Amino acid sequence: LMRLASDTTYMALGRPRRCELDLSTLKSGHAVAGLQFVATDPRLYGATERTITVPLGSGVMGGADFDLAFDLAFGGVSGLGQAQNDGTAETWPLVTIAGIVTDPWLENVTTGEVLRLDVTMTAANDVLVIDMRRRSITLNGANMLGAISTAGGSRFWPLIPGANLLAFRATVDTTPAVAMFTYHDASL
């Protein structure tokens, strides 16, 4: 974490490059140190972690909606939620899905980007973790990267600056499955 002159606190992703400890200042177990980091990501992230919880079944998927355009989808269940990225750059969410669910998929409705998974979670305590930034997927700690569906241009996606309408969808759910989207605002 770092605080800028504007008194705003940000988080940066990086790794240490050098550490110099001034032992002449050692007093009561504390000393002055100079640290140098290399940024592995050019973004500055908000210090506050945000989480949006989207329960499966909190939205309607199926049938026809008549807005200004004709939208048609068949089968399954869905949930909708909104994430607000108050930064000026894209940010990549970490998504945790918990519960019994078949073939879940995550959509940023605002951008039209979708990540579909061919996986069945059979136990109420199953946990599927999707790290959009690192492009990793685990089910109960086991690598599930091979579960990405080949249908429909499935890919990892970011949250854009501003409001992002998010959908959590599945072909079948038998318990109240939820998707938790965790992220930080990002700016360049």
Side-chain angles (χ1 to χ4, degrees), residues 40 63-64 67 86 117-118 165:
T40 56
D67 298 320
D86 287 333
L117 303 172
D118 294 327
L165 181 61

Side-chain angles (χ1 to χ4, degrees), residues 84-113:
Q84 180 71 31
N85 174 7
D86 287 333
T88 60
E90 294 177 338
T91 190
W92 299 84
L94 177 75
V95 186
T96 304
I97 298 174
I100 298 174
V101 66
T102 300
D103 299 334
W105 73 91
L106 305 167
E107 180 180 1
N108 185 332
V109 178
T110 304
T111 64
E113 294 173 294

Side-chain angles (χ1 to χ4, degrees), residues 12-18 35-42:
L13 301 178
R15 62 180 186 270
R17 177 182 239 177
R18 185 181 335 178
L35 301 173
Q36 185 179 40
F37 288 87
V38 174
T40 56
D41 182 341

Side-chain angles (χ1 to χ4, degrees), residues 31-157:
V32 174
L35 301 173
Q36 185 179 40
F37 288 87
V38 174
T40 56
D41 182 341
R43 295 170 186 84
L44 292 177
Y45 292 93
T48 303
E49 182 176 88
R50 296 181 182 228
T51 300
I52 304 300
T53 301
V54 180
L56 201 55
S58 63
V60 176
M61 187 178 117
D65 292 325
F66 293 95
D67 298 320
L68 296 176
F70 184 74
D71 298 323
L72 182 63
F74 294 97
V77 291
S78 73
L80 297 172
Q82 182 168 302
Q84 180 71 31
N85 174 7
D86 287 333
T88 60
E90 294 177 338
T91 190
W92 299 84
L94 177 75
V95 186
T96 304
I97 298 174
I100 298 174
V101 66
T102 300
D103 299 334
W105 73 91
L106 305 167
E107 180 180 1
N108 185 332
V109 178
T110 304
T111 64
E113 294 173 294
V114 178
L115 179 64
R116 294 176 190 256
L117 303 172
D118 294 327
V119 65
T120 300
M121 297 168 62
T122 58
N125 62 348
D126 278 347
V127 176
L128 186 70
V129 178
I130 300 115
D131 189 330
M132 297 285 194
R133 184 175 65 86
R134 290 190 174 104
R135 292 166 172 69
S136 69
I137 302 170
T138 60
L139 175 59
N140 300 328
N143 182 358
M144 293 296 292
L145 202 53
I148 297 175
S149 174
T150 57
S154 189
R155 64 178 179 262
F156 295 97
W157 46 260

